[in-house]
DNA sequence: TACGCGTGGCA
DNA sequence: TTGCCAAGCGT
């Protein structure tokens, strides 16, 4: 049983810390403005929360600004072309998020009159919005007292209670702990306060317990175990896979690219034609078109979530009437390496050295 | 339930 | 250089 006075003070202490230390972010309404009645734009909250899934604030800032400038509301985004959105998302990773982002925008326009639903359960029914994101939007954009549990909250709760069972098994228990602390007042600011605490003080390594607003009640701080929590089940080692990538440039400067299938790795993104990626040293030759391919020195190295990849790279100059096969020629003035996933950009950086007249 | 799914920064 | 880590979701 919780002590109501302690419970109330816990949330109040954190909110007071947040009022003085909230990080400034382009999608956030500062606590002083929020208290004065300002409300965040649900579209901006949703967009930022999806971008922030498993992604650092530093990486998200620029993407968020560009998306908001280009598609300022959900109707604009819903009307965008798939390829334009995928290109704007390129480099941010976890591309299923971008595909679901578009699906979600179109559902909101088609079935919710262009306005985001304001309850956790209705939000969670939308594509790409799971338990965390639904609770976060409901709390931050709609002032609902929902229990918001992300990696920061899990870490803070594990330390506060010195809970040593490993994740992900411990998640239900940590969620209960978070629920017991979530206040009815200022739920959005509270959710953002715990996340700011986890990001700036209760950090994964070397937590700054000396300046933490929850230092006194923290059980892990007392036990000396804070830096070791939360415990996590060990991860599997990443295998190394090998493949070949083919960078063909037509005489007019157009590049031969392929749109990857919607499902799976880098789904829906532009990329260079290539072989399968296999555990073997190198898969058999699989050039996309007949051409005098030249091997480029070195290899592109890239690490995905669950494997390391090494790509041998081949380049060729093609005639103006060359057959694109299953690919598509992108004119030189439309080709931007930044429209492609990072691994494909690495391939291009090496390939351009292999052309006689690298631009 | 466990796995597939990106990337960049850091020690 | 290598491994770990960051505001999870879908299947």
């Amino acid at each position: 049983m919780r002590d109501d006075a302690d419970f109330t003070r816990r949330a109040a202490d954190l909110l007071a810390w947040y009022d003085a230390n909230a990080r400034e972010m382009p999608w956030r309404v500062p606590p002083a403005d929020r208290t004065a009645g300002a409300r965040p734009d649900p579209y901006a909250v949703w967009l930022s929360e999806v971008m922030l899934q498993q992604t650092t604030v530093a990486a998200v800032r620029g993407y968020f600004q560009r998306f908001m400038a280009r598609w300022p509301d959900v109707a604009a985004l819903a009307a965008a072309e798939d390829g334009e959105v995928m290109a704007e998302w390129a480099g941010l990773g976890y591309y299923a998020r971008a595909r679901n982002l578009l699906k979600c925008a179109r559902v909101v326009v088609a079935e919710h009159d262009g306005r985001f639903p304001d309850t956790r359960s209705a939000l969670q029914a939308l594509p790409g919005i799971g338990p965390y994101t639904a609770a976060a939007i409901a709390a931050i954009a709609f002032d609902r007292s929902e229990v918001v549990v992300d990696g920061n909250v899990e870490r803070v709760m594990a330390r506060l209670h010195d809970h040593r069972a490993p994740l992900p098994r411990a998640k239900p228990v940590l969620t209960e702990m978070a629920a017991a602390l979530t206040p009815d007042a200022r739920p959005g600011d509270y959710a953002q306060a715990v996340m700011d605490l986890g990001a700036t003080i209760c950090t994964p390594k070397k937590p700054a317990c000396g300046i933490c607003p929850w230092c006194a009640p923290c059980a892990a701080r007392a036990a000396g175990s804070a830096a070791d929590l939360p415990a996590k089940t060990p991860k599997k080692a990443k295998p190394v896979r090998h493949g070949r990538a083919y960078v063909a440039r037509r005489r007019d400067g157009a590049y031969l690219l392929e749109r990857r299938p919607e499902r799976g790795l880098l789904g829906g993104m532009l990329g260079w034609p290539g072989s399968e990626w296999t555990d073997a040293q190198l898969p058999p030759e699989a050039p996309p078109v007949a051409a005098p391919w030249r091997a480029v020195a070195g290899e592109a190295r890239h690490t995905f979530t669950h494997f390391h990849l090494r790509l041998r790279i081949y380049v060729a100059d093609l005639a103006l009437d060359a057959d694109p096969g299953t690919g598509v020629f992108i004119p030189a003035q439309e080709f931007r390496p930044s429209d492609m996933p990072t691994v494909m950009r690495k391939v291009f950086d090496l390939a351009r050295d292999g052309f006689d007249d690298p631009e």
Side-chain angles (χ1 to χ4, degrees):
Chain A
M1 289 298 97
R2 82 180 188 231
D3 180 300
D4 281 345
D6 280 357
F7 158 79
T8 301
R9 175 182 295 178
R10 211 66 76 227
D13 286 348
L14 184 64
L15 283 165
W17 172 83
Y18 181 70
D19 287 340
N21 298 281
R23 293 179 290 171
E24 291 186 359
M25 298 178 195
W27 51 85
R28 177 178 280 181
V29 172
D33 297 350
R34 184 70 191 82
T35 304
R39 294 295 191 92
D41 173 8
Y43 171 72
V45 173
W46 163 72
L47 179 61
S48 67
E49 288 298 341
V50 173
M51 287 183 166
L52 286 162
Q53 289 165 5
Q54 298 286 284
T55 308
T56 59
V57 168
V60 165
R61 281 184 191 276
Y63 283 88
F64 176 82
Q65 306 270 37
R66 286 190 291 276
F67 266 73
M68 287 300 291
R70 188 165 178 180
W71 301 294
D73 55 49
V74 69
L77 183 60
E81 301 227 354
D82 292 32
E84 298 291 311
V85 174
M86 300 311 290
E88 202 66 79
W89 195 277
L92 197 56
Y94 284 134
Y95 298 99
R97 292 185 296 172
R99 302 194 299 274
N100 285 327
L101 192 81
L102 257 177
K103 285 184 193 168
C104 181
R106 289 167 180 164
V107 169
V108 167
V109 167
E111 301 178 16
H112 297 275
D113 202 22
R115 289 185 294 273
F116 279 85
D118 65 355
T119 64
R120 183 196 53 72
S121 62
L123 285 161
Q124 198 173 328
L126 294 167
I129 299 182
Y132 162 74
T133 305
I137 297 172
I140 296 169
F142 299 114
D143 223 28
R144 294 193 181 272
S145 180
E146 299 289 351
V147 181
V148 180
V149 182
D150 70 335
N152 288 302
V153 176
E154 290 173 353
R155 185 170 60 255
V156 171
M157 290 304 129
R159 289 172 175 174
L160 192 60
H161 297 274
D162 195 24
H163 188 78
R164 303 191 181 190
L167 286 169
R169 198 176 66 217
K171 186 173 174 81
V173 178
L174 297 174
T175 299
E176 285 302 310
M177 295 170 176
L181 280 177
T182 302
D184 292 327
R186 300 180 64 188
D189 281 351
Y190 175 80
Q192 295 177 97
V194 184
M195 292 190 277
D196 274 21
L197 186 74
T200 64
I201 290 181
C202 197
T203 51
K205 301 168 188 171
K206 298 186 178 181
C209 302
I211 57 171
C212 180
W214 280 353
C215 178
C218 184
R221 160 71 166 166
S225 58
D228 301 321
L229 297 178
K232 294 188 178 178
T233 55
K235 297 172 182 175
K236 293 179 181 176
K238 293 178 169 67
V240 180
R241 292 183 186 168
H242 301 264
R244 306 176 193 264
Y246 297 89
V247 179
R249 189 178 60 176
R250 211 167 53 183
R251 296 296 180 188
D252 62 355
Y255 286 100
L256 181 60
L257 293 166
E258 284 181 352
R259 180 72 65 183
R260 298 175 63 86
E262 284 291 307
R263 298 245 173 188
L265 191 70
L266 310 179
M269 300 299 292
L270 279 178
W272 305 107
S275 68
E276 298 300 303
W277 298 345
T278 68
D279 294 333
Q281 263 326 90
L282 259 187
E285 292 279 355
V289 294
W293 293 100
R294 313 188 292 280
V296 169
E299 60 187 2
R301 292 191 175 202
H302 190 75
T303 297
F304 293 99
T305 312
H306 53 296
F307 66 94
H308 302 288
L309 179 64
R310 298 181 184 183
L311 290 176
R312 291 286 291 140
I313 299 164
Y314 302 83
V315 299
D317 294 287
L318 303 182
L320 283 177
D321 62 352
D323 182 344
T326 59
V328 55
F329 282 109
I330 305 291
Q333 64 270 23
E334 293 177 23
F335 173 75
R336 294 188 308 162
S338 61
D339 288 353
M340 296 188 296
T342 297
V343 62
M344 300 298 173
R345 196 163 41 71
K346 287 182 180 178
V347 168
F348 179 66
D349 287 342
L350 284 171
R352 64 197 316 171
D353 298 337
F355 288 110
D356 295 332
D357 55 340
E359 299 159 59

